[in-house]
Amino acid sequence: MGLVQSRSRDVETALALLRDVLARAPASLEETCDELLSALLPSRPTDDVALLVARTGVLDADHVATWDLPSDPAVVSKARVQAADQLAAWGLEEMAFPTELIVSELVTNAIRYGKSPVRLRMILQSALTCEVSDASSTAPHLRRARDSDEGGRGLFLVSQLTQRWGTRHGREGKVIWAEQLIPASPAEVPSGSR
């Protein structure tokens, strides 16, 4: 049966017990697992049980910027300006050029090959992440364009300008994301490294 569902206890009762333990969970994830297992499992369980407990963090609203974009190629230049303005608000003006290229390529691909709605999101955490989502499930492919090709260089540029990039699929379509390292400010550079 498992951790919540059992022959001797109603599922709703077990879920209430689970919520109660999690509401007063100790700081340690290991202690939280121990308390959950102690509260929800009989002394001799008849089934195998796997338990995964994770603590997530929520970013402050000022670390995330989101724009809904019309599916119109003319909006790409506006998206670049919005990205540059957001970087300036975060004090990261030196990242404007590569970020504008990344935003331009990802938004262009979403408009050209994806489906509405198109959304641009920038996330400032330990790295700068640019995400572009659309309602299509078609994933882009990195390719190397020949000298005579007029297109096909966008994702190659993104891969060269970022630490890493990828695709995340969901029920509503896909998200193409690209992550850039944030340059260390002079105050953060260890002495002897300059």
Side-chain angles (χ1 to χ4, degrees), residues 128-152:
L128 174 67
T129 304
C130 294
E131 297 181 342
V132 175
S133 61
D134 70 76
S136 169
S137 61
T138 305
H141 299 285
L142 179 67
R143 63 186 181 111
R144 294 188 187 268
R146 296 180 304 244
D147 290 341
S148 59
D149 290 344
E150 289 192 27

Side-chain angles (χ1 to χ4, degrees), residues 2 4 9 12 14 56 67 95 101 103 133 162 170 174 178 180:
V4 176
R9 182 177 47 223
E12 292 303 317
T56 60
W67 300 274
M95 296 182 71
L101 280 172
V103 165
S133 61
T162 61
K174 69 175 175 304
Q180 301 172 74

Side-chain angles (χ1 to χ4, degrees), residues 154-167:
L155 286 178
F156 179 75
L157 282 172
V158 170
S159 74
Q160 297 301 303
L161 294 170
T162 61
Q163 183 69 21
R164 56 193 191 125
W165 70 279
T167 306

Side-chain angles (χ1 to χ4, degrees), residues 21-22 24-33 35 55:
V21 171
L22 290 175
R24 55 181 171 73
S28 161
L29 293 178
E30 187 173 321
E31 290 175 25
T32 301
C33 285
E35 285 192 23
R55 184 168 288 119

Side-chain angles (χ1 to χ4, degrees), residues 105-139:
E105 293 301 332
L106 296 182
V107 170
T108 298
N109 282 349
I111 291 170
R112 184 175 288 163
Y113 305 111
K115 295 179 184 175
S116 291
V118 175
R119 175 175 282 167
L120 167 62
R121 186 164 78 151
M122 294 174 58
I123 304 164
L124 177 62
Q125 199 172 14
S126 56
L128 174 67
T129 304
C130 294
E131 297 181 342
V132 175
S133 61
D134 70 76
S136 169
S137 61
T138 305

Side-chain angles (χ1 to χ4, degrees), residues 5 89 94 181 188:
Q5 190 177 12
E94 69 274 13
L181 294 178
E188 297 171 354

